[in-house]
Amino acid sequence: MVLQLSEDSRKIARLLSNETSIRILKLLYRRSMSAADIADELKVRLNTLKYNLDSLLEAGLIRVRQVKWSRKGREIKIYEAVEKVIILLPGKKSPDMSLILTMLRQHSLKNPEGSDISGVYCEPGI
């Protein structure tokens, strides 16, 4: 996902700077879970978790993998992380896609597959 600076990119940047959101993403990267299971694992209140889940869903960083039903007939959503590369670009001009692809190739060579990498990289002049 390549985003120019906008309200959408600001929302994603806020999510990625929120500790609870990051903890949710890391947990869901390992396995799919329900909101109640995530809240138990992270030791956060369910209403706090629900706010973060809704924001992550809206941003497209997680999705509902499955819907189950409890014995009491309540809907239980099972969430999973969406694997995405996010590139935020300042400025209004169109991005140089060849430069972006080159940077991604260099990044993947520096970081072997399977490593858990979280972070923001900014190349001067982009």
Side-chain angles (χ1 to χ4, degrees):
M1 173 188 324
V2 178
L3 296 172
Q4 300 260 333
L5 288 181
S6 66
E7 190 56 36
D8 288 339
S9 63
R10 285 186 198 106
K11 286 178 186 177
I12 289 178
R14 272 191 296 257
L15 278 170
L16 296 176
S17 65
N18 178 303
E19 184 179 339
T20 302
S21 293
I22 293 297
R23 290 173 64 207
I24 292 167
L25 286 170
K26 285 182 176 182
L27 190 59
L28 291 177
Y29 182 75
R30 285 188 254 134
R31 68 180 187 274
S32 301
M33 300 176 77
S34 70
D37 290 339
I38 297 167
D40 286 345
E41 181 85 19
L42 298 180
K43 308 226 182 315
V44 297
R45 292 180 8 196
L46 199 51
N47 62 344
T48 299
L49 181 79
K50 183 71 173 126
Y51 170 81
N52 284 279
L53 286 175
D54 289 344
S55 297
L56 290 164
L57 276 168
E58 184 182 329
L61 298 177
I62 65 171
R63 67 178 157 236
V64 176
R65 179 176 157 243
Q66 180 181 9
V67 176
K68 295 181 177 182
W69 297 95
S70 73
R71 291 182 192 147
K72 295 180 181 180
R74 293 187 183 145
E75 182 181 78
I76 300 172
K77 294 177 183 175
I78 306 299
Y79 298 93
E80 68 180 358
V82 174
E83 292 189 33
K84 244 181 213 193
V85 173
I86 301 170
I87 301 170
L88 299 174
L89 298 174
K92 295 180 182 177
K93 65 181 182 175
S94 297
D96 179 351
M97 293 309 286
S98 63
L99 180 58
I100 291 169
L101 291 173
T102 300
M103 288 172 39
L104 288 172
R105 278 190 214 102
Q106 289 173 349
H107 181 70
S108 67
L109 291 174
K110 290 179 193 173
N111 301 294
E113 275 192 61
S115 61
D116 182 13
I117 301 166
S118 301
V120 177
Y121 176 74
C122 181
E123 180 73 28
I126 293 184

